Amino acid sequence: MENTDHEKFLRRAIEMSARASLEYSTGGAFGAVLVKDGKIVSEGMNRVIASHDPTWHAEMEAIRLACITLQSFKLPGCTLYTSAEPCPMCMATCYWAGIEQVFYGATVEDAFEYGNFDDRPIYEQLALPKEQRSIKLTQLLRDEAVVVWKKYQAKPDKIQY
């Protein structure tokens, strides 16, 4: 794909970020576009404020809608264009979905400087051993939980992913 196409799709993501933050006030200045075979499959914008949902990021919306449109929980051959560098949740979702490439506009540092969006504490927490994280993780009822996992493992018609 030519660089002009990448710029065109990224400009659309930036346009979606302006809609979310300035026009509709649904959330921060985040917009995303998911492309396959040179065509837009889906678009997303931040709706955290409007939906009262901390996971309703532009990238998440674009990925969810693309999965519905393409009827697949994997998105091989897809490229994500996003107005800002993806947060840890959105980047992890790109890995889960099998997205092959991400183009972004603003950096994590830009989002912090101009919007007070600070992902640094999340990155820092995820780098710590789980015993040292600020959200306490406590394991209970492992044997009972593993019973279900063993049944799942033996299920002949399960879909691998």
Side-chain angles (χ1 to χ4, degrees):
M1 208 178 324
E2 291 183 37
N3 206 35
T4 53
D5 288 335
H6 295 308
E7 290 175 1
K8 175 182 80 172
F9 294 131
L10 190 53
R11 282 191 180 101
R12 180 64 181 161
I14 293 167
E15 185 181 322
M16 297 299 291
S17 79
R19 282 188 185 178
S21 62
L22 305 174
E23 187 177 345
Y24 302 135
S25 298
T26 56
F30 302 101
V33 173
L34 211 131
V35 173
K36 184 171 185 171
D37 300 325
K39 293 185 176 70
I40 293 176
V41 176
S42 64
E43 299 178 330
M45 66 176 156
N46 187 290
R47 299 177 194 268
V48 168
I49 293 169
S51 65
H52 309 288
D53 180 348
T55 70
W56 206 315
H57 292 194
E59 300 92 335
M60 298 294 285
E61 182 174 62
I63 291 168
R64 288 173 181 151
L65 292 173
C67 288
I68 291 166
T69 300
L70 298 174
Q71 290 293 287
S72 175
F73 54 81
K74 289 288 187 184
L75 299 172
C78 289
T79 301
L80 180 69
Y81 296 85
T82 177
S83 63
E85 190 173 353
C87 75
M89 174 184 67
C90 293
M91 199 64 223
T93 303
C94 288
Y95 283 105
W96 283 118
I99 290 170
E100 296 178 4
Q101 191 167 13
V102 176
F103 289 86
Y104 65 92
T107 64
V108 168
E109 293 79 16
D110 293 329
F112 177 62
E113 182 176 349
Y114 302 111
N116 204 32
F117 290 91
D118 191 4
D119 293 341
R120 292 173 302 181
I122 299 170
Y123 286 110
E124 291 166 4
Q125 286 294 308
L126 292 174
L128 291 173
K130 58 186 170 187
E131 300 79 27
Q132 294 177 22
R133 295 179 188 163
S134 62
I135 296 176
K136 186 177 178 187
L137 289 163
T138 304
Q139 183 183 32
L140 291 172
L141 303 176
R142 178 175 181 257
D143 291 344
E144 292 177 36
V146 170
V147 167
V148 177
W149 276 107
K150 288 179 180 178
K151 289 178 182 177
Y152 177 72
Q153 180 184 42
K155 186 178 180 202
D157 61 341
K158 73 175 173 280
I159 296 170
Q160 292 293 333
Y161 65 98

